[in-house]
Amino acid sequence: MKTKEMVFAALFAALIGVLGMIPPIPLGFIPVPVTAQTLGVMLAGSFLGKKTGAISLILFIVLVALGLPLLSGGRGGLAPLVGPSAGYIFSWPIAAFCIGLAMEKVWPTLKIWKVIMINFIFGVVLVSLIGAPVMAIITNTSVWAGLVGATAFLPGDLIKAIIVAIIVMQIKAVSPIEQKINN
């Protein structure tokens, strides 16, 4: 891994930590709050690509496990990694990898609608398909109830996917993906 990739991975782990400073929005019917951190997950995959994007999220999770209060609401340590949010948190590196893989494939013909679709499929749907069943198992509820409850995240997450698409289209020229494709 090149120094530049390590720096980008660290910067995006920090960015996701900063997004955790935005207070979470608790939903009364589901134990997982709405956070801004999934925006960082989508941005990491979309801007950094599969490898560096996934590494940035793995680094983030390691920092949380070490006790840094980087999750929304100032949470850190092992408790959030075994609680109702665990499936969502552990899905983030997978989502960043899948987003990055898809972005690398469509990069030469990148359009804003493609970025939105990629982020919606892998940054929203995939995260929910992993996170909701794990939440349901941990809270001893049905997987179906967990998936239905997770639909509450869809409107906000769609807005995040649109925001990420706008940002990526604006900073496309400085993305590591752009450098990789042009070299």
Side-chain angles (χ1 to χ4, degrees):
M1 183 173 210
K2 296 178 186 170
T3 304
K4 187 174 182 179
E5 291 171 322
M6 288 190 283
V7 170
F8 271 131
L11 283 171
F12 272 78
L15 171 67
I16 295 164
V18 169
L19 288 170
M21 295 175 75
I22 298 171
I25 301 169
L27 304 173
F29 55 90
I30 189 170
V32 177
V34 175
T35 73
Q37 291 183 295
T38 49
L39 185 140
V41 173
M42 291 184 234
L43 194 55
S46 296
F47 181 76
L48 299 176
K50 63 180 186 252
K51 179 182 163 190
T52 311
I55 289 170
S56 71
L57 271 302
I58 292 168
L59 173 61
F60 178 80
I61 292 171
V62 168
L63 293 172
V64 168
L66 290 172
L68 275 74
L70 300 174
L71 291 169
S72 65
R75 296 175 302 143
L78 296 177
L81 301 179
V82 295
S85 299
Y88 289 97
I89 296 166
F90 285 113
S91 73
W92 291 350
I94 299 165
F97 179 87
C98 293
I99 291 166
L101 179 65
M103 290 293 289
E104 289 173 13
K105 290 191 182 297
V106 302
W107 197 265
T109 60
L110 200 59
K111 304 277 187 242
I112 197 161
W113 68 268
K114 290 180 183 180
V115 182
I116 293 169
M117 289 304 298
I118 288 168
N119 280 290
F120 187 77
I121 292 167
F122 297 116
V124 178
V125 176
L126 177 66
V127 167
S128 290
L129 288 176
I130 296 170
V134 173
M135 177 196 62
I137 291 166
I138 290 172
T139 59
N140 200 26
T141 57
S142 75
V143 172
W144 180 250
L147 290 168
V148 170
T151 60
F153 299 122
L154 293 178
D157 285 345
L158 177 59
I159 292 168
K160 292 175 204 172
I162 292 168
I163 291 168
V164 167
I166 293 167
I167 292 169
V168 168
M169 293 306 289
Q170 295 300 312
I171 61 175
K172 177 184 179 201
V174 295
S175 170
I177 301 172
E178 180 78 16
Q179 263 89 79
K180 188 187 309 181
I181 289 176
N182 288 332
N183 289 336

